[in-house]
Amino acid sequence: MAEHKHGTMDTTTQEKTFDGFVRWSVRVAVFSIGVLIFLAIFNS
């Protein structure tokens, strides 16, 4: 088995994926809040 040294793993791909997930989540949340506000204002 290969020796594992703690703290040497390259996590750039995981960090990019997480950043993309957070960005997507924020955009969906803002869009959803915008739709709710629109419905609250223009719903007879």
Side-chain angles (χ1 to χ4, degrees):
M1 241 170 132
E3 286 291 322
H4 174 72
K5 295 186 181 184
H6 187 71
T8 60
M9 188 171 88
D10 183 22
T11 60
T12 54
T13 303
Q14 289 89 345
E15 290 172 4
K16 287 180 184 179
T17 302
F18 181 73
D19 289 339
F21 172 75
V22 170
R23 187 177 305 118
W24 180 83
S25 299
V26 168
R27 288 180 182 172
V28 168
V30 168
F31 176 75
S32 299
I33 291 170
V35 168
L36 289 173
I37 290 172
F38 176 81
L39 289 174
I41 292 172
F42 295 107
N43 189 16
S44 27

